[in-house]
DNA sequence: TAGCTTAATGCAACTTTATTGCATTTTATT
DNA sequence: AATAAAATGCAATAAAGTTGCATTAAGCTA
């Protein structure tokens, strides 16, 4: 199945209309190990309004297609979700690594994260782990 | 030792001049279990310029007096550091709990966090743990 | 395939958080 | 009291994100 077919199916499954802008966003995010911000997306996507991008990103996030993670500047970055995310629940409790040099945010989803027990009285909905440091590319320079 | 004496000593130790605004910021942050944003600070601190607040907060962060944590909107929030933080190194790798209802960010520094091992090639500088859910106050309503 | 309905987009205006430059004031030291 | 450096205030600017509304396009249905 081609990427395009896959994307179209994904949109249909989530009751989102198949539009050029959405397909382009998906193709820019898929197979990336790092998360992407709206400003970065805007600079490469071509002829799509900036507001439309914000709206596509939040629609995708609500549907469980992408997940949001903040970088070191507090800017939202987005990456494709694990397969088992949906509009009711995200399962992206993997480690996000922020490179202090190149500012990339890596989704290290192959790592298992330990369980965290909260103090009594707190009701946990979602956990997240993040690290700051140097990524392999920046370390080799 | 009174709080004011403590604050003055703290400022002197970090080679920061003793100013009214800085003392007020310290007195607003000390003994709080939750982190505070510049906008929140601004709304209660009285006659201090907003830019001055930003500058005080970043000076304090650099010196290891306070640490920064982003809330669910990507806004920076600040809280007093553990005693062993200094200008070279922060040690605030505790869990930050974001209440999805009241939006407060709790520093749960009494909890021990497990060690996290990164994949080869990544050099770790700082780890952080964050959770989203309902805080005790909001749960009891 | 034409018509209809609803969702998606584009554009302008606006909001919030944060930063920068520069003149003025204040602090700490001598 | 004089001085030098640091801190502040103010105005302007920047960046990320949001809202309202008119227009356009997508997906049905007849
Ligand atoms: Mn991720
Ligand atoms: Mn904290
Ligand atoms: Zn890097
Ligand atoms: Zn709460």
């Amino acid at each position: 199945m081609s990427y395009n077919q896959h994307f179209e199916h994904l949109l249909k499954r989530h009751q989102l209309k198949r539009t050029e802008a959405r397909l382009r966003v998906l193709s820019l995010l898929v197979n990336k190990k790092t998360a992407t911000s709206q400003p970065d997306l805007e600079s490469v996507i071509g002829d799509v309004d900036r507001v439309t991008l914000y709206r596509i990103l939040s629609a995708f996030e609500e549907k469980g297609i992408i997940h949001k993670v903040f970088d070191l500047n507090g800017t939202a970055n987005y990456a494709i979700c694990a397969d088992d995310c949906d509009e009711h629940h995200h399962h992206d409790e993997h480690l996000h690594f922020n490179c202090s040099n190149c500012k990339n945010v890596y989704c290290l989803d192959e790592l298992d994260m330990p369980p965290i027990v909260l103090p009594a009285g707190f009701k946990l909905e979602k956990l997240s782990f993040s690290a700051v440091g140097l990524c392999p590319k920046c370390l080799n320079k």
Side-chain angles (χ1 to χ4, degrees), chain A:
Chain A
M1 184 161 71
S2 77
Y3 272 128
N4 234 282
Q5 283 177 306
H6 172 59
F7 297 153
E8 293 183 13
H9 176 250
L10 194 62
L11 292 175
K12 181 165 260 174
R13 184 154 60 86
H14 290 97
Q15 302 156 67
L16 297 171
K17 291 184 175 172
R18 192 211 86 114
T19 69
E20 181 59 28
R22 284 172 175 169
L23 292 174
R24 279 198 231 167
V25 169
L26 288 174
S27 71
L28 285 171
L29 295 186
V30 81
N31 277 346
K32 278 196 69 178
K33 285 169 209 89
T34 57
T36 312
S37 65
Q38 183 280 345
D40 283 356
L41 223 40
E42 194 185 341
S43 72
V44 298
I45 204 173
D47 204 21
V48 176
D49 190 80
R50 47 190 305 283
V51 177
T52 300
L53 284 179
Y54 279 112
R55 290 196 269 230
I56 288 175
L57 291 171
S58 40
F60 283 4
E61 198 205 356
E62 271 169 28
K63 296 294 189 173
I65 298 175
I66 62 180
H67 60 280
K68 171 159 72 170
V69 47
F70 291 108
D71 65 20
L72 295 177
N73 303 310
T75 303
N77 283 243
Y78 296 88
I80 296 284
C81 279
D83 291 332
D84 55 349
C85 294
D86 61 32
E87 60 241 88
H88 306 298
H89 229 79
H90 279 262
H91 304 271
D92 306 287
E93 311 199 334
H94 50 261
L95 178 64
H96 288 109
F97 185 91
N98 299 71
C99 180
S100 51
N101 183 248
C102 68
K103 314 297 179 195
N104 275 324
V105 181
Y106 292 78
C107 283
L108 300 184
D109 49 8
E110 69 277 10
L111 255 72
D112 282 325
M113 288 298 111
I116 303 283
V117 179
L118 293 191
F122 288 90
K123 185 175 171 235
L124 180 64
E125 285 166 7
K126 214 179 72 181
L127 256 181
S128 61
F129 301 85
S130 83
V132 181
L134 289 172
C135 77
K137 276 183 200 162
C138 293
L139 205 51
N140 292 324
K141 278 189 209 158

